[in-house]
Amino acid sequence: MIAADTLPGSKTGGPAQPVIRFASGLVGYPSAQRFVLEQSDGGVFELRGLGEDDPDFLVVAPAPFFPDYAPVIDDETVERLGLRGEKDALVLLVVTLRDRPEDASANTLAPLVINARTRDAAQVVLTGQPFSLRQPLLAS
Amino acid sequence: MLVLSRRPQQSFIIGHDIVITVLEVNGDTVRLGIAAPRDVAIHREEVYRELQQANTTAASPSSDAVAAFTQRASGKPSKDEEASLPQE
């Protein structure tokens, strides 16, 4: 099925929100498979799980924080997500917040890769690439 | 745990469609090839465990923490900094 799965617009009457599908869930949350992405300020997004017990995640676009971030997505993932080229792939990083905002970190080792065309997504472990599960975000 | 012995180039089949082949044994390292359906994610166990912990720690942050971070990330002064500005 090609048609994008959508939710009705938000209560503010905005456009319908496309549903992002993680067919295998996320590690630790195998049943969390349907999310919507909501944009906040400063390149920050909230990824909201649609299931009753699904988690929400704060995620960021890499570019504002790590301009040199250039992950290589393996062929299996490219095929699994049906990525036809770099433009198809929306890469987002999961943020871990701690008591102080300046201690926030991003998971650059296992980014969320979303096919912007089909909304199929996966959390991809970049084996063998020099990234971190806890890369500081707001270097002081 | 089921324990089986295999030689290089011999395989196991798990279920109907997951095939694990011993490719090479070199000292204390074994190289395995895994063929599985696309929807089966394969991770090194220690990486899986670490990622699981990272995701659990990251999941469902409080709205206060999100607000504080978003404010910092967008370069606006935090509430604390605003509060400490001298009064006119």
Coordinates of all heavy atoms in Angstrom, one line a residue, chain B residues 3-55:
Chain B
V3 N 22.7 -26.8 22.4 CA 24.1 -26.7 22.0 C 24.4 -27.6 20.8 O 24.1 -28.8 20.9 CB 25.1 -27.0 23.2 CG1 26.5 -27.0 22.7 CG2 24.8 -26.1 24.4
L4 N 24.9 -27.0 19.7 CA 25.1 -27.8 18.5 C 26.6 -27.5 18.0 O 27.1 -26.5 18.3 CB 24.2 -27.4 17.4 CG 22.7 -27.6 17.6 CD1 21.9 -26.9 16.6 CD2 22.3 -29.1 17.6
S5 N 27.2 -28.5 17.4 CA 28.5 -28.3 16.8 C 28.4 -28.2 15.3 O 27.6 -28.9 14.7 CB 29.4 -29.5 17.2 OG 29.6 -29.5 18.6
R6 N 29.1 -27.3 14.7 CA 29.1 -27.1 13.3 C 30.5 -26.8 12.8 O 31.4 -26.3 13.6 CB 28.3 -25.8 12.9 CG 26.8 -25.9 13.2 CD 26.0 -26.6 12.2 NE 26.2 -28.0 12.0 CZ 25.8 -28.8 11.1 NH1 25.0 -28.2 10.1 NH2 26.1 -30.0 11.0
R7 N 30.8 -27.1 11.6 CA 32.1 -26.8 11.0 C 31.9 -25.6 10.0 O 30.8 -25.3 9.7 CB 32.6 -28.0 10.2 CG 32.9 -29.2 11.0 CD 33.4 -30.4 10.2 NE 33.6 -31.6 11.0 CZ 34.7 -31.8 11.8 NH1 35.6 -30.8 11.8 NH2 34.8 -32.8 12.5
P8 N 33.0 -25.0 9.7 CA 32.9 -23.9 8.7 C 32.1 -24.3 7.5 O 32.3 -25.5 7.0 CB 34.4 -23.6 8.4 CG 35.1 -23.9 9.6 CD 34.4 -25.1 10.2
Q9 N 31.3 -23.4 7.0 CA 30.4 -23.6 5.8 C 29.2 -24.4 6.1 O 28.3 -24.6 5.3 CB 31.1 -24.2 4.6 CG 32.4 -23.5 4.2 CD 32.2 -22.0 4.2 OE1 31.2 -21.4 3.7 NE2 33.2 -21.2 4.7
Q10 N 29.1 -24.9 7.4 CA 27.8 -25.6 7.8 C 26.9 -24.6 8.4 O 27.3 -23.6 8.9 CB 28.1 -26.8 8.7 CG 28.9 -27.9 8.1 CD 29.1 -29.1 9.0 OE1 29.2 -28.9 10.2 NE2 29.1 -30.3 8.4
S11 N 25.6 -24.9 8.4 CA 24.6 -23.9 8.9 C 23.6 -24.4 9.9 O 23.5 -25.7 10.1 CB 23.8 -23.4 7.7 OG 24.6 -22.8 6.7
F12 N 22.9 -23.5 10.5 CA 21.7 -23.8 11.3 C 20.5 -23.2 10.6 O 20.7 -22.1 10.0 CB 21.7 -23.2 12.7 CG 22.9 -23.5 13.5 CD1 24.0 -22.6 13.7 CD2 23.0 -24.7 14.2 CE1 25.0 -22.9 14.5 CE2 24.1 -25.0 15.0 CZ 25.1 -24.1 15.2
I13 N 19.4 -23.7 10.8 CA 18.2 -23.0 10.4 C 17.3 -22.8 11.6 O 17.0 -23.8 12.4 CB 17.4 -23.8 9.3 CG1 18.2 -23.9 8.0 CG2 16.1 -23.1 9.0 CD1 17.5 -24.6 6.9
I14 N 16.9 -21.6 11.9 CA 16.0 -21.3 13.0 C 14.7 -20.9 12.4 O 14.6 -20.0 11.5 CB 16.6 -20.1 13.8 CG1 18.0 -20.5 14.4 CG2 15.6 -19.7 14.9 CD1 18.7 -19.4 15.1
G15 N 13.6 -21.6 12.9 CA 12.3 -21.4 12.3 C 12.4 -21.9 10.9 O 13.0 -22.9 10.6
H16 N 11.7 -21.2 10.0 CA 11.7 -21.6 8.6 C 12.6 -20.8 7.7 O 12.9 -21.2 6.6 CB 10.2 -21.5 8.0 CG 9.3 -22.4 8.7 ND1 9.2 -23.7 8.6 CD2 8.3 -22.1 9.6 CE1 8.3 -24.3 9.3 NE2 7.7 -23.3 10.0
D17 N 13.0 -19.6 8.2 CA 13.7 -18.7 7.2 C 14.9 -18.0 7.8 O 15.3 -17.0 7.2 CB 12.6 -17.8 6.6 CG 11.7 -17.2 7.7 OD1 12.1 -17.2 8.9 OD2 10.7 -16.6 7.4
I18 N 15.4 -18.4 8.9 CA 16.6 -17.8 9.4 C 17.7 -18.8 9.3 O 17.7 -19.9 9.9 CB 16.4 -17.3 10.8 CG1 15.3 -16.2 10.9 CG2 17.8 -16.7 11.4 CD1 15.0 -15.7 12.3
V19 N 18.8 -18.5 8.5 CA 19.9 -19.4 8.3 C 21.2 -18.8 8.8 O 21.5 -17.6 8.5 CB 20.1 -19.7 6.8 CG1 21.2 -20.7 6.6 CG2 18.8 -20.3 6.2
I20 N 21.8 -19.5 9.7 CA 23.1 -19.0 10.3 C 24.2 -19.9 9.8 O 24.1 -21.1 10.1 CB 23.0 -18.9 11.8 CG1 21.9 -18.0 12.2 CG2 24.4 -18.5 12.4 CD1 21.7 -17.8 13.7
T21 N 25.2 -19.4 9.2 CA 26.3 -20.2 8.6 C 27.6 -19.8 9.3 O 27.9 -18.6 9.5 CB 26.4 -19.9 7.1 OG1 25.1 -20.1 6.5 CG2 27.4 -20.8 6.5
V22 N 28.3 -20.8 9.7 CA 29.7 -20.6 10.2 C 30.6 -20.4 9.0 O 30.7 -21.3 8.2 CB 30.1 -21.8 11.1 CG1 31.6 -21.6 11.6 CG2 29.2 -22.1 12.2
L23 N 31.2 -19.2 8.9 CA 32.0 -18.9 7.8 C 33.4 -19.3 8.0 O 34.1 -19.8 7.2 CB 31.9 -17.5 7.4 CG 30.5 -17.0 7.0 CD1 30.4 -15.5 6.8 CD2 30.0 -17.7 5.8
E24 N 33.9 -18.9 9.2 CA 35.3 -19.1 9.5 C 35.6 -19.1 11.0 O 34.9 -18.5 11.7 CB 36.0 -17.8 8.9 CG 37.5 -17.8 8.9 CD 38.0 -16.4 8.5 OE1 37.4 -15.8 7.5 OE2 39.0 -15.9 9.1
V25 N 36.5 -20.0 11.4 CA 36.9 -20.0 12.8 C 38.4 -19.7 12.8 O 39.2 -20.3 12.1 CB 36.7 -21.4 13.4 CG1 37.1 -21.4 14.9 CG2 35.2 -21.8 13.3
N26 N 38.7 -18.6 13.6 CA 40.1 -18.2 13.6 C 40.5 -17.8 15.0 O 40.1 -16.8 15.6 CB 40.3 -16.9 12.7 CG 41.7 -16.5 12.5 OD1 42.6 -17.1 13.1 ND2 41.9 -15.6 11.6
G27 N 41.2 -18.8 15.7 CA 41.5 -18.6 17.1 C 40.3 -18.5 17.9 O 39.4 -19.4 17.9
D28 N 40.1 -17.3 18.7 CA 38.9 -17.2 19.5 C 37.8 -16.4 18.8 O 36.8 -16.0 19.4 CB 39.2 -16.6 20.9 CG 39.8 -15.2 20.7 OD1 40.0 -14.7 19.6 OD2 40.1 -14.6 21.8
T29 N 37.9 -16.2 17.5 CA 36.9 -15.5 16.8 C 36.2 -16.4 15.8 O 36.8 -17.2 15.0 CB 37.5 -14.3 16.0 OG1 38.2 -13.5 16.9 CG2 36.4 -13.5 15.3
V30 N 34.8 -16.3 15.8 CA 34.0 -17.1 14.8 C 33.3 -16.1 14.0 O 32.7 -15.2 14.5 CB 33.0 -18.0 15.6 CG1 32.1 -18.7 14.6 CG2 33.7 -18.9 16.5
R31 N 33.4 -16.2 12.7 CA 32.6 -15.4 11.8 C 31.4 -16.1 11.3 O 31.5 -17.3 10.8 CB 33.5 -15.0 10.5 CG 34.5 -13.9 10.9 CD 35.5 -13.7 9.7 NE 34.8 -13.3 8.5 CZ 34.5 -12.1 8.2 NH1 34.7 -11.1 9.0 NH2 33.9 -11.8 7.0
L32 N 30.2 -15.5 11.5 CA 29.0 -16.1 11.1 C 28.3 -15.3 10.0 O 28.4 -14.0 10.0 CB 28.0 -16.1 12.4 CG 28.5 -16.9 13.6 CD1 27.6 -16.7 14.8 CD2 28.7 -18.3 13.3
G33 N 27.6 -15.9 9.2 CA 26.8 -15.3 8.2 C 25.3 -15.5 8.6 O 25.0 -16.7 8.9
I34 N 24.5 -14.5 8.6 CA 23.1 -14.6 9.0 C 22.2 -14.2 7.8 O 22.3 -13.1 7.4 CB 22.8 -13.8 10.2 CG1 23.7 -14.2 11.4 CG2 21.3 -14.0 10.7 CD1 23.7 -13.2 12.5
A35 N 21.3 -15.1 7.4 CA 20.3 -14.7 6.4 C 18.9 -14.8 7.1 O 18.6 -15.8 7.6 CB 20.4 -15.7 5.2
A36 N 18.2 -13.7 7.1 CA 17.0 -13.6 7.8 C 16.0 -12.7 7.0 O 16.5 -11.9 6.2 CB 17.2 -13.0 9.2
P37 N 14.7 -12.8 7.2 CA 13.8 -11.9 6.6 C 14.0 -10.5 6.9 O 14.6 -10.2 8.0 CB 12.4 -12.4 7.1 CG 12.6 -13.7 7.6 CD 14.0 -13.8 8.1
R38 N 13.6 -9.6 6.1 CA 13.9 -8.1 6.3 C 13.4 -7.6 7.6 O 14.0 -6.7 8.1 CB 13.2 -7.3 5.2 CG 13.9 -7.3 3.9 CD 13.1 -6.4 3.0 NE 13.4 -6.5 1.6 CZ 12.8 -5.7 0.7 NH1 11.9 -4.9 1.1 NH2 13.2 -5.9 -0.5
D39 N 12.3 -8.1 8.1 CA 11.8 -7.5 9.3 C 12.4 -8.1 10.6 O 12.0 -7.7 11.7 CB 10.2 -7.7 9.4 CG 9.9 -9.2 9.3 OD1 10.7 -10.0 8.9 OD2 8.7 -9.5 9.7
V40 N 13.4 -8.9 10.4 CA 14.1 -9.4 11.6 C 15.4 -8.6 11.8 O 16.3 -8.6 11.0 CB 14.5 -10.9 11.4 CG1 15.4 -11.4 12.6 CG2 13.3 -11.8 11.3
A41 N 15.4 -7.8 12.9 CA 16.6 -7.0 13.2 C 17.7 -7.9 13.8 O 17.3 -8.7 14.6 CB 16.2 -5.8 14.1
I42 N 18.9 -7.7 13.4 CA 20.0 -8.4 14.0 C 21.0 -7.5 14.6 O 21.4 -6.5 14.0 CB 20.7 -9.2 12.9 CG1 19.7 -10.2 12.2 CG2 21.9 -10.0 13.4 CD1 20.1 -10.8 10.9
H43 N 21.3 -7.7 15.9 CA 22.2 -6.9 16.6 C 23.2 -7.7 17.4 O 22.9 -8.8 17.8 CB 21.5 -6.0 17.7 CG 20.4 -5.1 17.1 ND1 20.8 -3.9 16.6 CD2 19.1 -5.2 17.0 CE1 19.6 -3.3 16.2 NE2 18.6 -4.1 16.4
R44 N 24.4 -7.2 17.6 CA 25.3 -7.8 18.5 C 24.7 -7.6 19.9 O 24.2 -6.5 20.2 CB 26.7 -7.1 18.5 CG 27.5 -7.4 17.3 CD 28.7 -6.4 17.2 NE 29.7 -6.8 16.2 CZ 29.6 -6.5 14.9 NH1 28.6 -5.8 14.5 NH2 30.5 -6.9 14.1
E45 N 24.7 -8.6 20.8 CA 23.9 -8.5 22.0 C 24.3 -7.3 22.8 O 23.5 -6.6 23.4 CB 24.0 -9.8 22.8 CG 23.2 -9.7 24.1 CD 23.3 -10.9 25.0 OE1 24.1 -11.8 24.8 OE2 22.5 -10.9 26.0
E46 N 25.6 -7.1 23.0 CA 26.0 -6.0 23.9 C 25.6 -4.7 23.4 O 25.2 -3.8 24.1 CB 27.5 -6.0 24.2 CG 28.4 -5.8 23.0 CD 28.7 -7.0 22.1 OE1 28.0 -8.0 22.3 OE2 29.7 -7.0 21.4
V47 N 25.6 -4.5 22.0 CA 25.1 -3.3 21.4 C 23.6 -3.1 21.7 O 23.1 -2.1 22.0 CB 25.4 -3.3 19.9 CG1 24.8 -2.0 19.3 CG2 26.9 -3.3 19.7
Y48 N 22.9 -4.2 21.5 CA 21.4 -4.2 21.7 C 21.1 -3.8 23.1 O 20.3 -2.9 23.4 CB 20.9 -5.6 21.4 CG 19.4 -5.7 21.6 CD1 18.5 -5.6 20.5 CD2 18.8 -5.9 22.8 CE1 17.1 -5.6 20.6 CE2 17.4 -6.0 23.0 CZ 16.6 -5.8 21.9 OH 15.2 -5.9 22.0
R49 N 21.8 -4.4 24.1 CA 21.6 -4.0 25.5 C 21.8 -2.6 25.8 O 21.1 -1.9 26.5 CB 22.4 -4.9 26.4 CG 22.2 -6.4 26.3 CD 21.0 -6.9 27.0 NE 20.8 -8.3 26.7 CZ 19.6 -8.9 26.6 NH1 18.5 -8.1 26.7 NH2 19.5 -10.2 26.3
E50 N 22.9 -2.1 25.2 CA 23.3 -0.7 25.5 C 22.3 0.3 24.8 O 21.9 1.3 25.4 CB 24.7 -0.3 24.9 CG 25.8 -0.9 25.8 CD 27.2 -0.6 25.2 OE1 27.3 0.4 24.4 OE2 28.1 -1.3 25.4
L51 N 21.8 -0.1 23.6 CA 20.9 0.7 22.9 C 19.5 0.7 23.6 O 18.8 1.7 23.7 CB 20.7 0.2 21.5 CG 19.7 0.9 20.6 CD1 20.0 2.4 20.6 CD2 19.8 0.4 19.2
Q52 N 19.2 -0.5 24.1 CA 17.9 -0.6 24.9 C 17.9 0.3 26.1 O 17.0 1.0 26.3 CB 17.8 -2.1 25.4 CG 16.5 -2.4 26.0 CD 16.5 -3.9 26.3 OE1 17.5 -4.5 26.7 NE2 15.3 -4.5 26.2
Q53 N 19.1 0.4 26.8 CA 19.2 1.2 27.9 C 19.1 2.7 27.5 O 18.5 3.5 28.1 CB 20.5 0.9 28.7 CG 20.4 1.5 30.1 CD 21.7 1.4 30.9 OE1 22.7 0.8 30.4 NE2 21.8 2.0 32.0
A54 N 19.8 3.0 26.4 CA 19.8 4.4 25.9 C 18.4 4.9 25.6 O 18.0 6.0 25.9 CB 20.8 4.6 24.7
N55 N 17.7 4.0 24.9 CA 16.3 4.3 24.5 C 15.4 4.5 25.7 O 14.5 5.4 25.8 CB 15.7 3.2 23.6 CG 16.2 3.4 22.1 OD1 16.8 4.4 21.8 ND2 16.0 2.4 21.3

